[in-house]
């Protein structure tokens, strides 16, 4: 019988899994001031043999450097290693990619300069976080800003087995190297950010790790395909990276796929009304009131759905304009 214990570190939930003589911690944890001490207190000396980070985002993989210094190996999908290791030059390349999306989206000049200023702040805080705790800003989830020191994770083995009856399954989308962890004998799915109780995670803008020119990773088509993969498996319990475990796994997967699909249809409808349109004009049509305030959420989301429509052959991109196929 395997045992699992959830450990809350503010907004994130980590899981200590014990099976036989093996102990694995799922997610390294976020590195705010005091997080490492809190985590060690919760573990009460039960040091894991291995830590598996579901993906490279700072709230899931940020304490990896502390684990590594403590002699505990950290497993992370190879395509996410850039999060743990990227140099300032790579952060600059990401900055260039994101700025390129803003500049090409067709927004009025004032919106572009606002968005670029926000991006500058985010990227400098990103660099700062390599060495120290950045200011908390107005993020409600954390007691302080999150540090993210560089470290060297290891890749999951070919068969994905990581001990304690667990297997890592690579499911790109949320990030390029995203994975879930499965305990098949118990029917447990440790879903990280792939499947959450009340939220359909929105796609971010990220660099494709396989692209030498730092092109954009097409996140949403991959995320949806990963949900479809999970739909074909069967689980009795989902233990997500945020919030509480839940048993309605199949229903939640269905609801997430349906939410993505209905939003894709809305984007296509918007496109059909507008004809050839810029990304910003399409966003404005779909989210007229929220767009200014939630630029960094809405623009990547709509772009993700356009990626899906282009992949399905239902929309085409011409330069900086999108149109439904055949219009
Ligand atoms: Zn994430």
């Amino acid at each position: 019988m395997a045992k699992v214990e959830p450990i809350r570190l503010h907004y994130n939930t980590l899981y200590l899994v014990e099976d036989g003589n093996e102990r694995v911690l799922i997610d390294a944890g976020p590195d705010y001031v005091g997080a490492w001490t809190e985590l060690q207190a919760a573990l009460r000396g039960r040091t894991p043999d291995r830590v598996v980070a579901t993906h490279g985002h700072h709230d899931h993989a940020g304490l990896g450097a502390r684990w590594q210094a403590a002699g505990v190996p950290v497993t992370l999908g190879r395509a996410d290693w850039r999060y743990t290791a990227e140099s300032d030059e790579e952060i600059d390349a990401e900055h260039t990619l994101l700025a390129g999306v803003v500049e090409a989206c067709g927004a009025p000049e004032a919106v572009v300069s606002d968005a670029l200023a926000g991006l500058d702040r985010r990227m400098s805080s990103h660099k700062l976080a390599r060495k120290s705790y950045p200011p908390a800003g107005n993020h409600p989830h954390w007691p302080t800003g999150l540090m993210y020191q560089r470290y060297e994770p290891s890749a999951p083995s070919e068969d994905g087995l990581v001990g304690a009856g667990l297997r890592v399954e690579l499911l790109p989308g949320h990030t390029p190297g995203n994975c879930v962890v499965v305990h098949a004998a118990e029917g447990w799915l440790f879903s990280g950010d792939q499947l959450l109780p009340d939220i359909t995670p929105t796609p971010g803008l990220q660099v494709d790790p396989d692209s030498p020119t730092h092109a954009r990773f097409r996140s949403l088509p991959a995320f949806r395909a990963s949900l479809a993969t999970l739909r074909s498996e069967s689980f009795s319990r989902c233990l997500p990276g945020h919030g509480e475990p839940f048993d309605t796994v199949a229903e939640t997967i269905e609801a997430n796929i349906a939410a993505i699909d209905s939003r894709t249809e809305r984007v296509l409808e918007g496109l059909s009304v507008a004809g050839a349109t810029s990304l910003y004009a399409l966003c404005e049509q779909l989210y007229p009131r929220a767009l200014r305030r939630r630029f960094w959420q809405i623009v990547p989301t709509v772009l993700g759905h356009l990626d899906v429509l282009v992949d399905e052959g239902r929309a085409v991109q011409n330069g900086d304009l999108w149109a439904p196929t055949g219009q």
Side-chain angles (χ1 to χ4, degrees):
M1 269 290 273
K3 278 200 314 194
V4 60
E5 186 177 314
I7 299 170
R8 290 298 287 263
L9 287 181
H10 282 261
Y11 186 51
N12 278 59
T13 313
L14 287 61
Y15 298 94
L16 180 69
V17 180
E18 295 179 274
D19 196 354
N21 296 320
E22 294 167 327
R23 208 178 270 150
V24 171
L25 182 70
I26 296 173
D27 272 345
D31 189 4
Y32 52 84
V33 174
W36 179 251
T37 312
E38 263 179 60
L39 178 51
Q40 295 312 313
L43 289 171
R44 300 191 308 276
R46 294 167 297 169
T47 303
D49 305 305
R50 170 175 303 281
V51 171
V52 179
T54 54
H55 59 289
H57 283 161
H58 58 343
D59 54 332
H60 297 262
L63 281 174
R66 301 295 291 265
W67 282 116
Q68 200 159 59
V72 177
V74 181
T75 298
L76 175 70
R78 191 181 289 275
D80 272 12
W81 288 7
R82 66 180 300 276
Y83 289 104
T84 64
E86 69 188 351
S87 60
D88 281 1
E89 290 72 40
E90 284 169 313
I91 297 177
D92 290 339
E94 187 186 350
H95 193 158
T96 305
L97 169 90
L98 299 185
V101 171
V102 174
E103 281 156 358
C105 77
E109 221 166 287
V111 175
V112 170
S113 61
D114 265 12
L116 291 179
L119 187 60
D120 282 351
R121 283 194 297 276
R122 189 140 54 92
M123 288 298 160
S124 15
S125 136
H126 196 41
K127 284 184 187 171
L128 192 65
R130 292 305 191 183
K131 299 188 197 81
S132 58
Y133 292 99
N138 49 9
H139 215 294
H141 295 318
W142 312 111
T144 72
L146 299 185
M147 180 151 70
Y148 198 165
Q149 290 177 276
R150 292 187 175 87
Y151 63 98
E152 285 164 25
S154 58
S157 58
E158 194 78 355
D159 57 14
L161 299 176
V162 286
L166 298 166
R167 185 172 51 80
V168 166
E169 201 175 316
L170 288 171
L171 288 180
H174 181 67
T175 60
N178 183 72
C179 66
V180 296
V181 186
V182 171
H183 194 297
E186 300 285 352
W188 293 340
L189 168 66
F190 297 90
S191 63
D193 280 352
Q194 176 71 51
L195 193 66
L196 296 169
D198 306 308
I199 323 161
T200 309
T202 49
L205 288 175
Q206 35 206 331
V207 171
D208 183 342
D210 295 328
S211 159
T213 56
H214 302 288
R216 184 170 62 84
F217 171 63
R218 294 161 69 85
S219 145
L220 191 61
F223 183 78
R224 194 198 177 285
S226 288
L227 281 175
T229 302
L230 286 181
R231 174 161 64 181
S232 69
E233 302 173 29
S234 108
F235 304 102
S236 54
R237 191 159 177 77
C238 177
L239 303 100
H242 305 275
E244 299 297 322
F246 58 94
D247 294 336
T248 52
V249 192
E251 294 92 316
T252 306
I253 295 171
E254 277 320 319
N256 271 265
I257 291 176
I260 292 173
D261 289 353
S262 80
R263 207 183 273 163
T264 299
E265 295 312 314
R266 267 195 68 204
V267 170
L268 182 62
E269 273 164 34
L271 211 50
S272 307
V273 172
T277 180
S278 72
L279 174 57
Y280 191 82
L282 181 60
C283 293
E284 208 165 31
Q285 190 196 328
L286 294 164
Y287 303 96
R289 276 182 299 280
L291 182 55
R292 280 301 288 267
R293 199 166 23 92
R294 291 169 47 212
F295 179 93
W296 283 110
Q297 194 180 348
I298 291 172
V299 169
T301 299
V302 173
L303 186 56
H305 290 281
L306 287 169
D307 286 343
V308 171
L309 289 166
V310 168
D311 283 4
E312 292 173 352
R314 297 199 288 162
V316 286
Q317 181 182 2
N318 276 318
D320 296 333
L321 298 181
W322 276 264
T325 304
Q327 203 177 83

